[in-house]
Amino acid sequence: MQDHYKKFDLTDKVALITGASEGIGRDIAIGLSEAGVDIIICSRREEKLLEVKEIAEKTGRKVQTYAIDIQNVSEIEGLKAFIKAKTGKVDILINNAGYAVTKPAWDVCENDWDTMVDTGFKGLFFCCQAIGSIMRENGYGKIINLSSTFSQSIVPGRSVYAGIKAGIDHLTEALAMEWAPHGIRVNGLAPTAVNTPSRQVTLQGPILEKVLARIPLGRLATPGDLIGAVIYLSSEASDFVTGQTLFVDGGWVAAS
Ligand SMILES: NC(=O)c1ccc[n+]([C@@H]2O[C@H](COP(=O)([O-])OP(=O)(O)OC[C@H]3O[C@@H](n4cnc5c(N)ncnc54)[C@H](OP(=O)(O)O)[C@@H]3O)[C@@H](O)[C@H]2O)c1
């Protein structure tokens, strides 16, 4: 017997999660600490990170916070230096931080564009580069980039966001190819709508009904749906998987 399930074990791994102060990133951070992982959580709001730290530390794992605006590459370099000084390694990078504006394409202004692209695409790339270089020194690592069903489908008002997410899927493939020789696996995770605090404003009434009607399994995604997928993509169980985007979407894309 080979005990294949042991390949899912993440005990004593170190993970960095961006955008961990609320929403999906917060839940993934807590979920990973419950799975035995020491975590480094970052976003701009230190006070929110400290709330997440207090919860995650109840698992007995180490939790470190780092305040950063990932739109600035110099701050990402600062994060890299912090990690090298504190843990010396990162096994798992969850590139979760993102920013979404919902507006007709006619009304998107330069500031909307810059904030979405600099957070969701530029910031994500330079986090891959900075943290990937630490993984390269260790010859192993798992990067998970948060994509979305909108990388392959469309609703009105999400043009720039959809373009960024499609770009992330292809960037994931490109980095997977370049970094496979260094043992770094790069994959994407694409949820359908998740009822996070930032989405609760829009996911109501007729909009919610329309979204649910597009999901064959008939409900929104939950943090638990995503954490199971994160554990798989972070663990040895997925060591032969790279350059893929896993859609955790209740069938949304298949039905589109
Ligand atoms: N919720 C959904 O329905 C859904 C569906 C598909 C995909 N996604 C993707 O999943 C990810 C998380 O979504 P979410 O709904 O959980 O988002 P959210 O609730 O808006 O949280 C975004 C997180 O990113 C951080 N962040 C934003 N700008 C940042 C910056 N410049 N530098 C550092 N951190 C920054 C925020 O913290 P601070 O404000 O403290 O910086 C926050 O922790 C995103 O990539 C999103 O596109 C979400």
Side-chain angles (χ1 to χ4, degrees):
M1 204 166 110
Q2 290 196 44
D3 291 343
H4 289 296
Y5 71 91
K6 285 189 179 157
K7 290 187 175 171
F8 287 90
D9 185 13
L10 294 177
T11 308
D12 294 335
K13 300 279 186 192
V14 176
L16 169 68
I17 304 105
T18 70
S21 61
E22 69 179 9
I24 293 171
R26 171 193 181 277
D27 290 329
I28 289 175
I30 294 168
L32 282 175
S33 63
E34 286 168 351
V37 178
D38 292 336
I39 57 172
I40 303 152
I41 49 177
C42 49
S43 80
R44 291 163 302 180
R45 289 170 296 163
E46 177 89 37
E47 72 285 0
K48 296 289 283 182
L49 292 174
L50 290 172
E51 288 172 24
V52 179
K53 176 180 161 85
E54 200 180 326
I55 298 167
E57 275 180 342
K58 292 193 176 126
T59 62
R61 300 312 308 188
K62 289 191 198 115
V63 181
Q64 304 193 60
T65 62
Y66 191 89
I68 184 174
D69 184 341
I70 62 161
Q71 294 176 89
N72 301 322
V73 177
S74 61
E75 293 191 32
I76 295 172
E77 285 303 318
L79 171 63
K80 178 180 168 183
F82 171 82
I83 290 166
K84 291 203 83 162
K86 291 283 179 183
T87 62
K89 71 157 189 169
V90 179
D91 304 293
I92 303 154
L93 165 63
I94 314 289
N95 267 316
N96 166 80
Y99 179 75
V101 170
T102 305
K103 271 187 186 176
W106 297 117
D107 299 337
V108 171
C109 64
E110 187 178 3
N111 186 51
D112 296 332
W113 171 277
D114 286 346
T115 311
M116 279 191 277
V117 173
D118 288 357
T119 308
F121 201 47
K122 182 179 117 180
L124 177 141
F125 173 79
F126 283 102
C127 284
C128 285
Q129 186 192 65
I131 308 309
S133 72
I134 300 175
M135 293 173 170
R136 183 177 54 183
E137 287 168 16
N138 296 324
Y140 187 82
K142 301 278 194 168
I143 297 177
I144 302 173
N145 294 325
L146 262 291
S147 176
S148 161
T149 44
F150 293 142
S151 69
Q152 291 204 14
S153 64
I154 297 294
V155 290
R158 285 299 184 96
S159 56
V160 179
Y161 181 81
I164 290 168
K165 294 302 188 185
I168 287 174
D169 290 0
H170 206 37
L171 179 67
T172 293
E173 293 174 324
L175 296 180
M177 195 199 81
E178 271 200 48
W179 295 350
H182 303 290
I184 303 170
R185 282 76 169 170
V186 190
N187 289 294
L189 178 65
T192 186
V194 192
N195 212 354
T196 54
S198 68
R199 299 296 195 274
Q200 270 160 17
V201 189
T202 44
L203 284 173
Q204 288 184 18
I207 294 180
L208 177 60
E209 277 169 33
K210 249 176 147 175
V211 169
L212 290 174
R214 266 181 89 164
I215 301 173
L217 287 178
R219 63 168 175 83
L220 301 179
T222 65
D225 296 322
L226 303 180
I227 291 161
V230 164
I231 288 174
Y232 170 64
L233 291 175
S234 299
S235 71
E236 274 178 45
S238 62
D239 267 0
F240 202 53
V241 178
T242 196
Q244 298 298 312
T245 294
L246 176 57
F247 284 81
V248 180
D249 69 350
W252 172 298
V253 164
S256 286

